Amino acid sequence: MPPSAKLVYKVLESSGLLTQKEIIKKTYLPPRTVRYALKRLLDEKILQERFYFKDARQSLYGLNVATEVVGG
């Protein structure tokens, strides 16, 4: 797993559900790097993607409940 994905994981672990823009602000990573990290974490089934009702153009990202127990 790349370091960027580990950083995104740790931020989501401590902050809960966040949009991609919020993750970029908290990690100080470039948008492309965050997109790559999110894709890797989603492919591994570590994250879940939810519909964001305030802005339908964005998604909310959070840890899967099953992986939280295993990973933590």
Side-chain angles (χ1 to χ4, degrees):
M1 191 68 53
S4 59
K6 291 177 184 177
L7 177 59
V8 169
Y9 177 87
K10 286 295 182 187
V11 166
L12 289 170
E13 186 178 45
S14 64
S15 300
L17 294 173
L18 296 173
T19 65
Q20 184 176 324
K21 287 182 181 181
E22 292 168 333
I23 295 169
I24 291 166
K25 285 180 188 174
K26 287 184 178 277
T27 60
Y28 298 102
L29 292 172
R32 184 175 179 178
T33 304
V34 170
R35 282 194 304 271
Y36 176 73
L38 289 172
K39 182 184 180 326
R40 289 288 305 263
L41 292 168
L42 285 167
D43 288 347
E44 295 288 327
K45 306 278 190 266
I46 296 171
L47 292 187
Q48 60 180 333
E49 186 175 9
R50 292 185 181 179
F51 185 77
Y52 186 44
F53 290 102
K54 290 183 180 179
D55 186 355
R57 297 170 293 177
Q58 298 184 55
S59 295
L60 283 173
Y61 298 94
L63 301 180
N64 264 336
V65 177
T67 57
E68 278 187 80
V69 174
V70 174

